[in-house]
Amino acid sequence: QVQLVESGGGLVQAGGSLRLSCVASGTIFSINAMGWYRQAPGKQREFVARIETRGTTTYADSVKGRFTISRDDAKNTVFLEMNSLKPEDTAVYYCNGGFIRGTLYEGRIYWGQGTQVTVSS
């Protein structure tokens, strides 16, 4: 199993920046992709960004040009750098990991507990 722990959330003003971190532990060899989803009140969880072991990154249209996903393999950590934050970015951000083949996940998908990001006007 894989354990994922997010951190870095908080309250920021519109236009500000925030960096989220996700530390993975356990059987991390069983996953080849990690990413971020978010869920705002009253909305369904939505995809934000993903990075694969080969380095390929994928972003939701709503965050392209503003968010950057990266990783530190030595620390088993994935980051989400969020810039030019908007009030509509307010949500609980969840780290996830799994084994992806092409664009589809196979087997278990792991989730962190989430970290709150609030962007004020």
Side-chain angles (χ1 to χ4, degrees):
Q1 60 181 4
V2 175
Q3 295 80 44
L4 304 172
V5 180
E6 307 99 326
S7 63
L11 174 64
V12 298
Q13 293 185 343
S17 299
L18 208 59
R19 188 173 80 157
L20 306 182
S21 299
C22 176
V23 180
S25 61
T27 56
I28 57 176
F29 56 83
S30 65
I31 64 175
N32 67 353
M34 292 179 64
W36 296 89
Y37 283 68
R38 66 186 182 186
Q39 186 168 24
K43 295 185 177 181
Q44 295 190 351
R45 190 172 299 185
E46 65 176 353
F47 169 78
V48 176
R50 178 180 65 243
I51 185 167
E52 302 170 38
T53 54
R54 60 178 176 173
T56 302
T57 57
T58 306
Y59 297 92
D61 289 341
S62 60
V63 306
K64 286 181 179 178
R66 299 190 298 120
F67 291 11
T68 302
I69 188 168
S70 61
R71 68 189 185 201
D72 184 338
D73 292 338
K75 298 181 179 180
N76 298 321
T77 302
V78 172
F79 305 97
L80 184 68
E81 181 72 32
M82 304 183 293
N83 300 308
S84 301
L85 283 164
K86 305 174 181 179
E88 47 264 47
D89 294 318
T90 295
V92 176
Y93 283 71
Y94 297 91
C95 179
N96 87 308
F99 186 87
I100 190 169
R101 187 185 302 275
T103 59
L104 301 176
Y105 280 98
E106 298 180 349
R108 289 191 61 183
I109 300 175
Y110 301 92
W111 295 93
Q113 293 183 319
T115 185
Q116 176 71 47
V117 172
T118 302
V119 184
S120 63
S121 301

